[in-house]
């Protein structure tokens, strides 16, 4: 009989005046040097695009992601021959690695033994009770947390029958019945994700699960799509949940580079006031008053600005209507004026920059502002 004693009724708070609600109480688990849950910051995750067997390339990708704010990285381990490469990556990675396992529980056990920091399996495709017990015992021996990664598209048939489809309740039940199985052997270093590709189902599933347990929740919307669509769908779904105080880690899944996922996650947390790292870019959409190429300038500057981890507010504006105001209220900004740019630092007009010099001069000044902020 599954032990459900740990579950308590936690009322899912509702939105009040658009203010982010108090964080849901979740127990704390440890993933490498990262603490997840409780009052710890909501951590940003992504997933490696590079196959694990290309060790140096994989590490290069991880290092780049870590530089821009990724704190946990997941790597798919589809085959036993990949475990040796995983060992080397775990030893050299600057951030904790989670091995993503499907179908074969022995891959999870092998990954645990070579230094991975956490495991993730999908209960829809590792279904044998004894295998799950063995997997959790190994995780316990190596002090690793397990993410129960439920996906609406691969729920067990019995739940689909019982609930009449992949409903939020069915998704939640799948996760909690797995948690009960792990608890049978005393394993509670558990994190749960409940992903669907539909935002409303995803929101309802997380709300349901949040009200029925105190395990930390990893937020995500699966198969979210290309960058623009995916960021909107994920930003909406995860934003609603975060506003309600639900969520301890997150990934914004995009059909794009992993860097885009990290930048999107950072911006989402920042816009909700939950994290403040990185550059907040205020840029105008342009109109016929514009005498400079704001969009072209954004495209040039954004790749540089997205590498900054220090909290900084940067404005890139097109004209004198809102430009000077926004630029002045930012740490640093430029505003178009008669075909050239005016540079502001901390509200002070500093100088005029021509189109030819603006990119290099502006980034130099931004770096100086970052150094000044770090020195404070
Ligand atoms: Fe148009 Fe100026 Fe507003 Fe930009 S800041 S949208 S150029 S009015």
């Amino acid at each position: 009989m599954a032990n459900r004693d740990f579950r308590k009724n936690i009322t899912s708070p509702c939105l009040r005046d658009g203010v982010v609600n108090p964080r849901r109480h979740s127990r704390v688990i440890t993933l490498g040097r990262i603490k997840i849950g409780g009052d710890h910051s909501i951590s940003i995750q992504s997933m490696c695009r590079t196959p694990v067997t290309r060790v140096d390339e994989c590490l290069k990708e991880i290092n780049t992601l870590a530089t821009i704010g990724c704190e946990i990285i997941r790597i798919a381990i589809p085959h036993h021959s990949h475990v040796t490469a995983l060992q080397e990556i775990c030893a050299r990675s600057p951030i904790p690695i989670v091995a993503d396992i499907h179908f074969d529980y022995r891959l999870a056990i092998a990954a645990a033994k070579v230094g991975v920091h956490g495991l993730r399996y999908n209960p829809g495709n590792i279904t044998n009770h004894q295998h799950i017990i063995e997997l959790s015992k190994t995780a316990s021996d190596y002090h690793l947390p397990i993410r129960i990664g439920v996906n609406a598209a691969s729920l067990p048939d019995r739940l689909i029958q019982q609930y009449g489809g992949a409903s939020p309740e069915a998704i939640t039940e799948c996760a909690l019945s797995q948690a009960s199985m792990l608890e049978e052997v005393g394993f509670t270093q558990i994190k749960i994700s409940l992903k669907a590709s539909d935002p409303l189902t995803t929101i309802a599933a997380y709300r349901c699960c949040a009200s029925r347990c105190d395990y930390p929740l990893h937020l995500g919307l699966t198969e979210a799509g290309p960058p623009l669509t995916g960021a909107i769908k994920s930003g909406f779904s995860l934003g609603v949940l975060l506003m309600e105080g639900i969520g301890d880690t997150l990934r914004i899944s995009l059909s794009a580079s992993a860097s885009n996922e990290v930048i999107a996650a950072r911006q989402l947390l920042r816009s909700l006031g939950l994290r403040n790292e990185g550059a907040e870019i205020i840029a105008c959409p342009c109109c016929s008053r514009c005498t400079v190429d704001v969009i072209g300038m954004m495209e040039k500057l954004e790749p540089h600005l997205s590498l900054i981890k220090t909290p900084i507010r940067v404005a890139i504006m097109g004209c004198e209507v809102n430009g000077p105001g926004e630029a002045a209220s930012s740490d640093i900004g430029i505003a178009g004026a008669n075909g050239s740019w005016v540079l502001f630092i901390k509200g002070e007009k500093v100088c005029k920059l021509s189109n030819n010099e603006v990119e290099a001069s502006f980034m130099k000044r931004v770096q100086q502002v970052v150094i000044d902020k770090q020195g404070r």
Side-chain angles (χ1 to χ4, degrees), residues 284-287 289-290 317-319 321-323:
C284 83
C286 295
C287 69
R289 284 192 195 89
C290 211
M317 304 297 289
C319 80
V321 174
N322 296 319

Side-chain angles (χ1 to χ4, degrees), residues 83-151:
V83 173
T84 311
L86 176 66
Q87 181 168 23
E88 192 175 343
I89 290 168
C90 290
R92 292 166 55 194
S93 171
I95 52 176
I97 307 260
V98 175
D100 189 62
I101 307 297
H102 290 263
F103 304 110
D104 186 350
Y105 77 105
R106 291 166 302 183
L107 281 168
I109 292 175
K113 291 179 178 174
V114 298
V116 85
H117 305 95
L119 300 168
R120 181 259 167 168
Y121 76 93
N122 178 342
N125 58 42
I126 298 182
T127 53
N128 181 296
H129 190 140
Q130 194 51 38
H131 292 171
I132 291 164
I133 297 295
E134 279 186 49
L135 190 160
S136 59
K137 281 183 175 164
T138 306
S140 184
D141 290 345
Y142 287 86
H143 307 290
L144 306 180
I146 292 177
R147 162 144 72 102
I148 298 170
V150 180
N151 191 309

Side-chain angles (χ1 to χ4, degrees), residues 323-345:
E326 284 293 357
S329 65
S330 301
D331 291 300
I332 182 164
I334 42 175
N338 301 323
S340 59
W341 302 80
V342 177
L343 173 76
F344 294 83
I345 296 180

